[in-house]
Each structure stands twice: as C-alpha cells, then as structure tokens.
Short mmCIF file of all heavy atoms in Angstrom, two decimals:
data_model
loop_
_atom_site.label_atom_id
_atom_site.label_comp_id
_atom_site.label_asym_id
_atom_site.label_seq_id
_atom_site.Cartn_x
_atom_site.Cartn_y
_atom_site.Cartn_z
N THR A 1 0.89 -1.21 0.00
CA THR A 1 -0.02 0.09 0.02
C THR A 1 0.87 1.22 0.05
O THR A 1 1.83 1.33 0.79
CB THR A 1 -0.86 -0.01 1.27
OG1 THR A 1 -1.79 -1.16 1.22
CG2 THR A 1 -1.79 1.22 1.27
N MET A 2 0.60 2.14 -0.88
CA MET A 2 1.36 3.35 -0.97
C MET A 2 0.42 4.54 -0.54
O MET A 2 -0.67 4.51 -0.60
CB MET A 2 1.85 3.57 -2.42
CG MET A 2 2.83 2.61 -2.86
SD MET A 2 4.42 2.70 -1.85
CE MET A 2 5.10 4.27 -2.35
N ALA A 3 1.12 5.67 -0.14
CA ALA A 3 0.36 6.65 0.51
C ALA A 3 1.03 8.01 0.27
O ALA A 3 2.33 8.09 0.02
CB ALA A 3 0.07 6.48 1.92
N TRP A 4 0.30 9.13 0.35
CA TRP A 4 0.82 10.40 0.38
C TRP A 4 0.69 10.85 1.88
O TRP A 4 -0.37 10.67 2.48
CB TRP A 4 0.11 11.37 -0.49
CG TRP A 4 0.57 11.23 -1.94
CD1 TRP A 4 0.10 10.45 -2.90
CD2 TRP A 4 1.76 11.87 -2.49
NE1 TRP A 4 0.70 10.58 -4.09
CE2 TRP A 4 1.78 11.46 -3.88
CE3 TRP A 4 2.76 12.77 -2.05
CZ2 TRP A 4 2.82 11.85 -4.76
CZ3 TRP A 4 3.73 13.10 -2.88
CH2 TRP A 4 3.81 12.67 -4.27
N TYR A 5 1.66 11.46 2.44
CA TYR A 5 1.62 12.08 3.76
C TYR A 5 1.88 13.62 3.63
O TYR A 5 2.53 13.96 2.53
CB TYR A 5 2.68 11.47 4.63
CG TYR A 5 2.71 10.02 4.83
CD1 TYR A 5 3.06 9.10 3.88
CD2 TYR A 5 2.09 9.38 5.99
CE1 TYR A 5 3.03 7.67 3.96
CE2 TYR A 5 2.05 8.01 6.13
CZ TYR A 5 2.50 7.16 5.13
OH TYR A 5 2.39 5.83 5.32
N ARG A 6 1.66 14.29 4.65
CA ARG A 6 2.05 15.76 4.60
C ARG A 6 2.39 16.17 6.05
O ARG A 6 1.90 15.69 6.99
CB ARG A 6 0.92 16.67 4.04
CG ARG A 6 -0.32 16.85 4.87
CD ARG A 6 -1.34 17.58 4.08
NE ARG A 6 -2.56 17.70 4.86
CZ ARG A 6 -3.80 18.31 4.35
NH1 ARG A 6 -3.76 18.72 3.12
NH2 ARG A 6 -4.83 18.38 5.22
N GLN A 7 3.24 17.20 6.02
CA GLN A 7 3.69 17.81 7.43
C GLN A 7 3.65 19.31 7.25
O GLN A 7 4.42 19.80 6.40
CB GLN A 7 4.96 17.25 7.77
CG GLN A 7 5.35 17.70 9.25
CD GLN A 7 6.56 16.93 9.78
OE1 GLN A 7 7.34 16.34 9.04
NE2 GLN A 7 6.69 16.97 11.11
N ALA A 8 2.88 20.01 8.01
CA ALA A 8 2.77 21.38 8.00
C ALA A 8 3.72 21.96 9.21
O ALA A 8 4.01 21.10 10.07
CB ALA A 8 1.37 21.89 8.27
N PRO A 9 4.30 23.11 9.09
CA PRO A 9 5.11 23.61 10.17
C PRO A 9 4.43 23.51 11.52
O PRO A 9 3.37 23.94 11.71
CB PRO A 9 5.32 25.04 9.67
CG PRO A 9 5.22 25.09 8.20
CD PRO A 9 4.13 24.09 8.02
N GLY A 10 5.29 22.95 12.40
CA GLY A 10 4.76 22.78 13.82
C GLY A 10 3.78 21.73 14.04
O GLY A 10 3.23 21.62 15.13
N LYS A 11 3.40 20.97 13.09
CA LYS A 11 2.53 19.79 13.09
C LYS A 11 3.22 18.55 12.86
O LYS A 11 4.21 18.47 12.29
CB LYS A 11 1.37 20.05 12.14
CG LYS A 11 0.48 21.34 12.56
CD LYS A 11 -0.72 21.37 11.70
CE LYS A 11 -1.55 22.58 12.10
NZ LYS A 11 -2.84 22.52 11.28
N GLN A 12 2.52 17.39 13.27
CA GLN A 12 3.01 16.09 13.01
C GLN A 12 2.66 15.77 11.56
O GLN A 12 1.73 16.17 10.94
CB GLN A 12 2.40 15.09 13.91
CG GLN A 12 2.97 15.15 15.41
CD GLN A 12 2.49 14.03 16.31
OE1 GLN A 12 1.40 13.39 16.05
NE2 GLN A 12 3.24 13.73 17.32
N ARG A 13 3.40 14.85 11.08
CA ARG A 13 3.15 14.29 9.74
C ARG A 13 1.94 13.43 9.72
O ARG A 13 1.64 12.67 10.72
CB ARG A 13 4.31 13.42 9.25
CG ARG A 13 4.36 13.03 7.83
CD ARG A 13 5.63 12.33 7.40
NE ARG A 13 6.75 13.24 7.34
CZ ARG A 13 7.92 12.90 7.40
NH1 ARG A 13 8.29 11.59 7.40
NH2 ARG A 13 8.93 13.82 7.27
N GLU A 14 0.94 13.66 8.81
CA GLU A 14 -0.25 12.95 8.72
C GLU A 14 -0.42 12.29 7.37
O GLU A 14 0.13 12.72 6.37
CB GLU A 14 -1.41 13.96 8.97
CG GLU A 14 -1.62 15.06 7.87
CD GLU A 14 -2.89 15.88 8.05
OE1 GLU A 14 -3.81 15.37 8.69
OE2 GLU A 14 -2.90 16.94 7.40
N LEU A 15 -1.21 11.17 7.43
CA LEU A 15 -1.51 10.45 6.28
C LEU A 15 -2.68 11.06 5.51
O LEU A 15 -3.67 11.32 6.10
CB LEU A 15 -1.80 8.95 6.54
CG LEU A 15 -1.80 7.99 5.37
CD1 LEU A 15 -1.41 6.59 5.98
CD2 LEU A 15 -3.14 7.98 4.67
N VAL A 16 -2.51 11.32 4.19
CA VAL A 16 -3.53 12.12 3.42
C VAL A 16 -4.35 11.13 2.59
O VAL A 16 -5.55 11.28 2.53
CB VAL A 16 -2.71 13.15 2.44
CG1 VAL A 16 -3.79 13.75 1.66
CG2 VAL A 16 -2.05 14.24 3.34
N ALA A 17 -3.77 10.26 2.03
CA ALA A 17 -4.41 9.23 1.09
C ALA A 17 -3.53 8.07 0.93
O ALA A 17 -2.27 8.14 0.78
CB ALA A 17 -4.70 9.90 -0.26
N SER A 18 -4.17 6.97 0.77
CA SER A 18 -3.46 5.66 0.50
C SER A 18 -4.16 4.83 -0.51
O SER A 18 -5.31 4.96 -0.82
CB SER A 18 -3.39 4.80 1.77
OG SER A 18 -4.60 4.32 2.21
N ILE A 19 -3.36 3.89 -1.17
CA ILE A 19 -3.89 3.18 -2.28
C ILE A 19 -3.38 1.74 -2.35
O ILE A 19 -2.05 1.65 -2.14
CB ILE A 19 -3.64 3.91 -3.65
CG1 ILE A 19 -4.35 3.18 -4.77
CG2 ILE A 19 -2.19 4.25 -3.89
CD1 ILE A 19 -4.42 4.01 -6.04
N THR A 20 -4.08 0.77 -2.51
CA THR A 20 -3.60 -0.58 -2.81
C THR A 20 -3.73 -0.72 -4.23
O THR A 20 -3.07 -0.15 -5.19
CB THR A 20 -4.31 -1.64 -2.05
OG1 THR A 20 -5.73 -1.44 -2.13
CG2 THR A 20 -3.84 -1.49 -0.59
N SER A 21 -4.74 -1.53 -4.78
CA SER A 21 -5.01 -1.56 -6.26
C SER A 21 -6.08 -0.46 -6.49
O SER A 21 -6.12 -0.08 -7.64
CB SER A 21 -5.56 -2.97 -6.55
OG SER A 21 -6.54 -3.32 -5.76
N VAL A 22 -6.77 -0.03 -5.51
CA VAL A 22 -7.70 0.98 -5.64
C VAL A 22 -7.53 1.99 -4.45
O VAL A 22 -7.04 1.57 -3.46
CB VAL A 22 -9.13 0.51 -5.66
CG1 VAL A 22 -9.47 -0.30 -6.99
CG2 VAL A 22 -9.53 -0.19 -4.46
N PRO A 23 -7.93 3.18 -4.65
CA PRO A 23 -7.74 4.16 -3.49
C PRO A 23 -8.47 3.52 -2.31
O PRO A 23 -9.57 3.16 -2.37
CB PRO A 23 -8.48 5.44 -4.02
CG PRO A 23 -8.24 5.43 -5.40
CD PRO A 23 -8.43 3.98 -5.81
N THR A 24 -7.82 3.54 -1.10
CA THR A 24 -8.39 2.90 -0.09
C THR A 24 -8.71 3.86 1.19
O THR A 24 -9.53 3.62 2.07
CB THR A 24 -7.44 1.81 0.49
OG1 THR A 24 -6.11 2.50 0.81
CG2 THR A 24 -7.24 0.76 -0.43
N MET A 25 -8.05 5.02 1.30
CA MET A 25 -8.27 5.85 2.25
C MET A 25 -8.01 7.36 1.90
O MET A 25 -7.10 7.59 1.19
CB MET A 25 -7.44 5.50 3.47
CG MET A 25 -7.47 6.41 4.63
SD MET A 25 -6.16 7.70 4.57
CE MET A 25 -6.52 8.58 5.98
N TYR A 26 -8.82 8.25 2.41
CA TYR A 26 -8.59 9.63 2.28
C TYR A 26 -8.87 10.27 3.68
O TYR A 26 -9.88 9.89 4.33
CB TYR A 26 -9.49 10.29 1.34
CG TYR A 26 -9.17 10.03 -0.10
CD1 TYR A 26 -10.01 9.01 -0.80
CD2 TYR A 26 -8.17 10.51 -0.77
CE1 TYR A 26 -9.78 8.69 -2.09
CE2 TYR A 26 -7.93 10.22 -2.15
CZ TYR A 26 -8.79 9.40 -2.76
OH TYR A 26 -8.54 9.05 -4.14
N ALA A 27 -7.95 11.18 4.15
CA ALA A 27 -8.33 11.94 5.34
C ALA A 27 -9.62 12.81 5.06
O ALA A 27 -9.79 13.26 3.98
CB ALA A 27 -7.14 12.87 5.62
#
C-alpha cells in the first residue's frame, strides 16, 4: 500500500491518502 503524507510547520506528519489496487483511504 502506498500513500501520500504531509507535514505542516509545527505539526505532526499525517497520512493524506493511501492506495492498494484502488484508493483505500482519504483523510
């Protein structure tokens, strides 16, 4: 499973979206 994460200044890194064969999760 691959994903995009993001980190804003002063914040923890968060998972934005993930995908296996199809998109599986969105924040």
Side-chain angles (χ1 to χ4, degrees):
T1 298
M2 294 296 294
W4 283 95
Y5 303 78
R6 68 185 180 187
Q7 187 167 21
K11 295 187 177 181
Q12 288 192 334
R13 190 172 290 166
E14 62 172 342
L15 194 154
V16 174
S18 65
I19 183 168
T20 51
S21 56
V22 295
T24 56
M25 173 271 175
Y26 291 99

